[in-house]
Amino acid sequence: MAGLPALLSVADIHERLQSIFPEGSPNRSSCVWEIAARTIFVMLYVGAIEGQDVWIRPDQVITFPNGETRRMVPGPSAKISKAIIEDFSKRFLIEPGVIFLSESANKVVARDDQLAKSLNLSIEADKKLADIIMADLGPSHPFLVFVEVAATDGPVNEMRKAALQKIAANAGFSKQHVVFVTAYLDCSDRAFKKTVDALSWGTFAWFASEPDKVIVLYAGQAKTPKKLIDFV
């Protein structure tokens, strides 16, 4: 579009956001995370800036590891789902694949029946499923990753963990090959403060605003306790 400067990369925009919103700025974590940079990149790409009378639709577009895209209704849940699939999967899984993605307004956003079948996993869109089901196909034995998107509620508590473990067990997955994650926007959000005491031991908590970090809710064994030095 005529009159606009050269397009910055997502990395450059992300770096500049750190200076635009210095430490101490209100809601800084939401303003400087990578998804904010990607949103600005899209707006600059289409010329959706003040005075140009160009607009983008409010859909939340999610890019899967295989390059496919899906649209979700915009909102906190969609932001977290996007962060899980685009950021978490690349950081913490070797060869990620998305089996199932849902949202409250449209229970099934995407499902990969072929991948599910290859893992002997039965996918039925009911309340027993997690919001997102992924697989790590990199290890010699694949891992199942169940993710609950906690925008307001709905963490992986003991009851949810047991229900999801049953689904995995029916597909032939042992407990050692199943991972449970509760995903939040930020540790300062009310959703985290509301549900942190319900998180099940033996699961993980992850924040979209701090994508390179993960909380491990270690479920120790009384007979063989680990020392702190074992974790560092």
Side-chain angles (χ1 to χ4, degrees):
M1 181 174 293
L4 295 181
L7 183 64
L8 294 172
S9 68
V10 173
D12 286 336
I13 296 172
H14 188 229
E15 181 179 357
R16 295 191 183 192
L17 287 175
Q18 314 303 313
S19 300
I20 295 171
F21 299 97
E23 292 288 348
S25 299
N27 303 312
R28 182 179 189 268
S29 59
S30 298
C31 297
V32 302
W33 63 342
E34 191 172 346
I35 288 181
R38 290 180 180 178
T39 301
I40 294 172
F41 174 84
V42 172
M43 297 177 73
L44 293 175
Y45 180 81
V46 301
I49 62 176
E50 185 177 4
Q52 294 292 333
D53 198 27
V54 177
W55 307 84
I56 60 174
R57 293 181 59 186
D59 297 318
Q60 186 77 58
V61 179
I62 298 178
T63 303
F64 286 20
N66 61 3
E68 295 181 3
T69 59
R70 294 291 187 276
R71 294 182 182 275
M72 295 185 71
V73 177
S77 294
K79 289 182 180 180
I80 299 172
S81 297
K82 180 180 178 70
I84 280 287
I85 292 173
E86 295 185 358
D87 293 333
F88 176 89
S89 68
K90 294 177 182 179
R91 295 174 188 272
F92 295 102
L93 306 184
I94 300 172
E95 186 181 339
V98 178
I99 302 172
F100 181 81
L101 169 63
S102 68
E103 63 181 346
S104 56
N106 177 19
K107 186 59 181 177
V108 180
V109 175
R111 57 187 294 168
D112 189 333
D113 291 323
Q114 184 174 356
L115 178 55
K117 184 178 180 180
S118 70
L119 297 173
N120 197 34
L121 187 65
S122 177
I123 298 296
E124 297 179 7
D126 58 22
K127 294 182 179 180
K128 294 181 181 179
L129 291 179
D131 295 317
I132 302 172
I133 304 176
M134 298 188 294
D136 189 350
L137 306 173
S140 56
H141 190 299
F143 276 71
L144 276 183
V145 183
F146 292 103
V147 182
E148 290 289 9
V149 174
T152 56
D153 207 335
V156 181
N157 55 27
E158 289 294 339
M159 184 177 298
R160 289 293 291 140
K161 180 182 175 183
L164 295 173
Q165 276 183 331
K166 185 175 181 180
I167 293 174
N170 289 339
F173 282 81
S174 64
K175 292 182 178 181
Q176 291 83 354
H177 297 107
V178 185
V179 177
F180 306 93
V181 181
T182 302
Y184 302 90
L185 271 178
D186 188 80
C187 62
S188 64
D189 282 355
R190 186 172 67 174
F192 177 63
K193 296 175 182 179
K194 176 183 177 182
T195 62
V196 61
D197 61 343
L199 293 173
S200 174
W201 293 109
T203 68
F204 298 87
W206 182 79
F207 306 106
S209 61
E210 301 179 86
D212 57 335
K213 301 175 178 63
V214 66
I215 294 177
V216 182
L217 293 158
Y218 172 64
Q221 301 294 328
K223 294 183 179 179
T224 56
K226 284 189 176 182
K227 309 300 181 184
L228 287 180
I229 195 173
D230 297 324
F231 294 95
V232 298

